[in-house]
Amino acid sequence: MVFFRGGVSLISKLRSRTVQQPSLRDSVRWLQYQTSSDLDLQSQLKELIPEQQERLKKLKSEHGKVQLGNITVDMVLGGMRGMTGLLWETSLLDPDEGIRFRGLSIPECQKLLPAAKPGGEPLPEGLLWLLLTGKVPTTEQVDSLSKELRSRATVPDHVYKTINALPVNAHPMTQFATGVMALQVQSEFQKAYEKGIHKSKYWETTYEDSLSLIAQVPVVASYVYRRMYKNGQVIPMDDSLDYGGNFAHMLGFDIPDMLELMRLYVTIHSDHEGGNVSAHTGHLVASALSDPYLSFAAALNGLAGPLHGLANQEVLLWIKSVVEECGENVSKENLKDHIWKTLNSGKVVPGFGHGVLRKTDPRYTCQREFALKHLPEDPLFKLVSNLYEVVPPILLELGKVKNPWPNVDAHSGVLLNHYGLTEARYYTVLFGVSRAIGICSQLIWDRALGLPLERPKSVTMEWLENYCKKAA
Ligand code: NMX
Ligand code: MLT
């Protein structure tokens, strides 16, 4: 369906291009004129939902019995690796190419999504619009969404009191997740559910909660940062700033390059298809009709694990331990010794490897490009570049690592550290703020599509042994 209304420039029409999904080329909307409802994200969704509901219905009725592959014992014992088992609309991960957000690669997002300045990094609000609608938003649509998020950003006082009840040195992820749980008392979904709302309306209050949650997480996160590291001196939101810029500002970093870094950071960490621990946890919890706050708080607790989001903390701490021992200009030979020391003590090399990716993570590459542009002489960036050369051959030598290449977490810390955000224990909170965008976007679609309770079958070792005996 294409809407043509008068009085809008061709440029504005072209900017509103829809992202092509390979399977959907025939239903692509290429041009769209703007009216006030075009600037309202919820109205846009309202239009999209019926056709996507139909699409799902057709998929089920026409192809419901098509097989997607075999489940092996290895998959059951191996963390379900390679098992296709989830529907996740907002992004798709290719093992070699990396993530695509609604069909767009990271370089394409950098080119197409509106930025705060010409040629600048994409605004996360633009990505949120893209994830929710599948369309590249215009600058006006992004401005309108920025404004809406600012208008929803006030955090109730009890949330700060709840965080304050924790020791000030409690892990930042514990403080952040506690703050998100405290936000839950404002859930519109929960209130509507208690009143007995019809299930066809679930997505509307889920949308309300999700937008408020996305708007408020940077405020809660910066409160945690200022509480822990800046004597509790809180910095209020700046109404002239966008989402990512405001987050950097509330943390206490106003250098324009740091604002740009935060926009890029929040954009690239937002979504990584559905099977990663945080997204999958959020989706699973939400499948019980838990509201977005409950679901996202659960997701954060998964993100806080060292094999997942906490790896960004671990990377910088590891790098700093190397520098402490050998200085900033550590030789490649000394680096190799450190890597072997880490491996021989039964630990992983943080920031390398991946459950799905089999090449360098494009989120690593775009951060490397940011560093080459803005901080090429930073000594820790040089060290990270040396690790890129030294770590993969060593991991390959182990003979068991499926992907020896760096992931997103191998790079983020040195960029933040360069601009003065040096507290590595805090880094996973930044990841968490960003991930609210991806998890909540899919959650709104979970409700709109009426996705069911998630409940896979589990078996015991005895069951597997008996099954395999019979099969043999
Ligand atoms: N350093 C040492 N050993 C590794 C590494 C690594 N970076 N990556 C994988 N291995 C080991 C892994 O521990 C396993 O050993 P074992 O059989 O003794 O248990 C073996 O290699 C096979 O693992 P894979 O199949 O290659 O990886 P898997 O899919 O199981 O795990 C990660 C993926 C990401 C958990 C793993 O690569 C890892 O621990 N990396 C370091 C932590 C990290 O950077 N995590 C962040 C991931 C991105 N994120 O933000 O979530
Ligand atoms: C993520 O961003 O969630 C990580 O790269 C982990 C994953 O995709 O499994």
Side-chain angles (χ1 to χ4, degrees), residues 7-251:
V8 181
S9 73
L10 183 64
I11 291 172
S12 134
K13 283 181 263 168
L14 286 169
R15 294 210 65 167
S16 194
R17 265 191 308 176
T18 300
V19 175
Q20 285 192 46
Q21 302 202 357
S23 56
L24 256 191
R25 283 184 203 282
D26 51 352
S27 66
V28 157
R29 295 154 191 235
W30 276 102
L31 298 174
Q32 196 176 27
Y33 285 77
Q34 283 181 348
T35 66
S36 61
S37 82
D38 290 338
L39 296 183
D40 175 44
L41 183 53
Q42 193 170 13
S43 310
Q44 296 283 299
L45 271 175
K46 216 170 250 173
E47 277 180 25
L48 289 169
I49 285 170
E51 76 186 34
Q52 294 302 313
Q53 288 172 331
E54 274 312 302
R55 190 175 161 210
L56 184 77
K57 221 158 106 189
K58 192 163 177 254
L59 194 60
K60 265 195 204 167
S61 65
E62 291 181 9
H63 306 294
K65 302 287 178 278
V66 173
Q67 292 204 349
L68 290 176
N70 291 322
I71 295 172
T72 62
V73 175
D74 271 346
M75 285 170 168
V76 173
L77 302 182
M80 297 193 273
R81 217 67 91 251
M83 199 190 278
T84 302
L86 289 172
L87 183 70
W88 194 267
E89 286 291 279
T90 48
S91 65
L92 188 63
L93 183 61
D94 179 85
D96 294 325
E97 200 194 32
I99 196 66
R100 278 185 179 269
F101 302 117
R102 291 282 188 178
L104 291 184
S105 67
I106 287 176
E108 285 165 347
C109 284
Q110 286 175 298
K111 214 152 100 190
L112 291 171
L113 291 178
K117 58 178 191 186
E121 299 300 343
L123 291 166
E125 301 88 316
L127 184 85
L128 172 59
W129 189 289
L130 173 72
L131 293 182
L132 272 171
T133 64
K135 298 185 217 171
V136 174
T138 62
T139 303
E140 293 79 8
Q141 286 169 326
V142 168
D143 285 348
S144 149
L145 183 53
S146 279
K147 209 165 145 199
E148 170 159 17
L149 290 172
R150 282 196 301 273
S151 76
R152 290 172 179 265
T154 306
V155 169
D157 214 36
H158 76 267
V159 175
Y160 301 121
K161 289 188 184 136
T162 308
I163 295 172
N164 289 346
L166 290 167
V168 73
N169 60 352
H171 194 279
M173 280 301 276
T174 306
Q175 301 199 38
F176 183 42
T178 302
V180 170
M181 277 304 293
L183 283 176
Q184 190 276 340
V185 298
Q186 68 192 7
S187 172
E188 293 297 328
F189 176 83
Q190 193 190 44
K191 283 180 211 149
Y193 190 83
E194 279 170 8
K195 281 190 194 142
I197 191 180
H198 190 275
K199 61 185 183 180
S200 61
K201 300 266 179 213
Y202 285 169
W203 79 268
E204 292 172 9
T205 42
T206 300
Y207 176 90
E208 283 303 314
D209 283 357
S210 294
L211 270 255
S212 298
L213 174 62
I214 291 168
Q216 289 169 19
V217 280
V219 181
V220 175
S222 24
Y223 180 79
V224 170
Y225 182 74
R226 304 293 302 179
R227 174 178 191 244
M228 292 188 74
Y229 306 115
K230 306 290 171 190
N231 298 318
Q233 287 167 329
V234 173
I235 300 172
M237 175 168 279
D238 177 342
D239 275 344
S240 69
L241 279 174
D242 54 280
Y243 187 81
N246 234 323
F247 187 25
H249 165 73
M250 288 187 289
L251 289 166

Side-chain angles (χ1 to χ4, degrees), residues 253-293:
F253 303 93
D254 286 308
I255 314 161
D257 283 355
M258 178 62 165
L259 266 60
E260 279 292 273
L261 174 63
M262 198 54 81
R263 291 170 186 131
L264 177 67
Y265 187 103
V266 174
T267 299
I268 63 174
H269 285 77
S270 60
D271 206 27
H272 216 230
E273 72 171 27
N276 67 76
V277 170
S278 51
H280 187 191
T281 305
H283 180 75
L284 167 69
V285 173
S287 82
L289 291 188
S290 302
D291 65 57
Y293 300 95

Side-chain angles (χ1 to χ4, degrees), residues 81 307-308 311 343 348-349 351-355 400 402 407 409:
R81 217 67 91 251
L307 295 187
H308 189 21
L343 291 170
V348 295
V349 180
F352 286 78
H354 201 271
K400 61 177 181 180
K402 296 199 187 62
N407 60 55
D409 298 316

